Amino acid sequence: MPHNPNERKLEQVKNVYSFWGKFPSLYSAQDAVTFLGRAKTIRRRAVEKIGLKRGDKVLEVACGSGRNFPYLVEAVGKEGFILGFDYSQAMLDASKQLCERNDWYSLKLVQGDAAQLKIHEKNFDGVLSVLGISAVPEWEKALQRCYNVLRPGGKLVVCDARLFTGFLRFFNPLINVVYSKFAAWDPSKNIPEKMKEIFGNGEVENLNFGTFFIATSIKKGK
Ligand SMILES: C[S@@+](CC[C@H](N)C(=O)[O-])C[C@H]1O[C@@H](n2cnc3c(N)ncnc32)[C@H](O)[C@@H]1O
């Protein structure tokens, strides 16, 4: 058992997602619950927010089993380049199978910790993360790495979940326990605020009664 708390959390990520990676259909099925039946709409909306063009280069951090790849492939076309990055080799294996089934050859998959983001490519037109940053132990470092690999004018879009407010908040303790245990989710991270701090700008769209948000920041400069 690692002593360092971040290493312990990474170990949890590895264990939790080796299960989901073996059962990608089950993972897809739980999407309906997590997104309250609006998974396709919200995932598509998050990709639209990046404003990608055909031929663009995009990075998906914590891409998991590739649930956003259809929208990214549609946006950048066969002439574009997509890099899917994830800590869980099992989730990447599921992604690889999805790519093979769909003949998506312009996609590259890399395993690693998003807080280090060891990749050769840089100057991405866009970076996406859906339900990913909230599971990354050193999430602030990961956001900084996303900033570093963007070209000036490129956008980071993070779509993630929040706990209920209002009368539904009575479900929060249960949701917190279930999703932290089975998805390594930590809703206490203020991702939009940190993005604003790193990029110097940011906008947030709230969806699903405030239980989802899409935060967008643009890297300034020419
Ligand atoms: C809830 S899943 C989301 C997967 C995918 N983005 C989606 O939209 O379905 C969270 C993902 O974050 C990945 N993850 C957690 N910590 C990570 C880290 N430090 N570096 C890279 N990926 C990480 C997990 O392996 C898992 O695939």
Side-chain angles (χ1 to χ4, degrees):
M1 174 77 88
H3 290 299
N4 178 311
N6 288 325
E7 282 175 19
R8 271 206 301 276
K9 285 182 195 163
L10 271 180
E11 193 67 15
Q12 190 210 354
V13 167
K14 190 172 153 194
N15 293 336
V16 165
Y17 287 99
S18 21
F19 169 79
W20 290 113
K22 281 190 202 106
F23 303 101
S25 314
L26 194 61
Y27 181 80
S28 308
Q30 66 76 41
D31 245 20
V33 180
T34 304
F35 286 84
L36 305 176
R38 298 186 69 221
K40 282 188 183 167
T41 311
I42 295 178
R43 289 181 185 282
R44 185 181 288 282
R45 179 91 186 123
V47 172
E48 274 169 11
K49 286 266 180 184
I50 316 173
L52 294 166
K53 300 186 303 299
R54 293 188 86 75
D56 273 355
K57 196 163 122 179
V58 62
L59 165 70
E60 183 176 355
V61 171
C63 63
S65 57
R67 305 286 296 149
N68 303 300
F69 289 169
Y71 313 106
L72 291 173
V73 171
E74 195 179 283
V76 302
K78 284 199 171 139
E79 57 275 49
F81 172 75
I82 301 166
L83 196 157
F85 188 93
D86 202 280
Y87 190 70
S88 162
Q89 189 55 52
M91 290 298 259
L92 288 175
D93 291 345
S95 269
K96 187 165 179 262
Q97 285 169 22
L98 179 74
C99 292
E100 284 169 358
R101 278 200 304 278
N102 288 284
D103 296 334
W104 291 333
Y105 299 115
S106 54
L107 240 144
K108 179 177 169 184
L109 300 169
V110 176
Q111 189 276 331
D113 179 3
Q116 309 300 327
L117 198 62
K118 285 191 182 142
I119 50 174
H120 301 298
E121 294 80 359
K122 48 187 181 219
N123 289 322
F124 283 92
D125 299 293
V127 177
L128 173 73
S129 192
V130 178
L131 294 173
I133 298 295
S134 56
V136 173
E138 292 184 275
W139 62 283
E140 290 159 310
K141 275 192 193 168
L143 288 178
Q144 182 63 53
R145 298 275 185 261
C146 294
Y147 175 87
N148 294 349
V149 298
L150 275 169
R151 66 161 169 81
K155 280 184 196 159
L156 168 64
V157 171
V158 175
C159 173
D160 225 298
R162 289 196 186 104
L163 290 166
F164 283 117
T165 52
F167 74 97
L168 289 172
R169 72 180 185 281
F170 293 111
F171 290 108
N172 286 347
L174 177 67
I175 293 171
N176 222 338
V177 168
V178 171
Y179 279 85
S180 63
K181 189 165 171 53
F182 297 106
W185 183 55
D186 176 359
S188 68
K189 298 166 179 166
N190 194 339
I191 298 168
E193 265 316 301
K194 191 68 198 175
M195 284 170 67
K196 267 190 198 157
E197 192 186 311
I198 294 171
F199 284 76
N201 66 81
E203 57 153 67
V204 181
E205 181 178 349
N206 293 308
L207 302 118
N208 276 11
F209 317 106
T211 57
F212 262 83
F213 68 86
I214 301 178
T216 308
S217 292
I218 182 159
K219 183 167 176 173
K220 290 183 194 153
K222 286 185 194 154

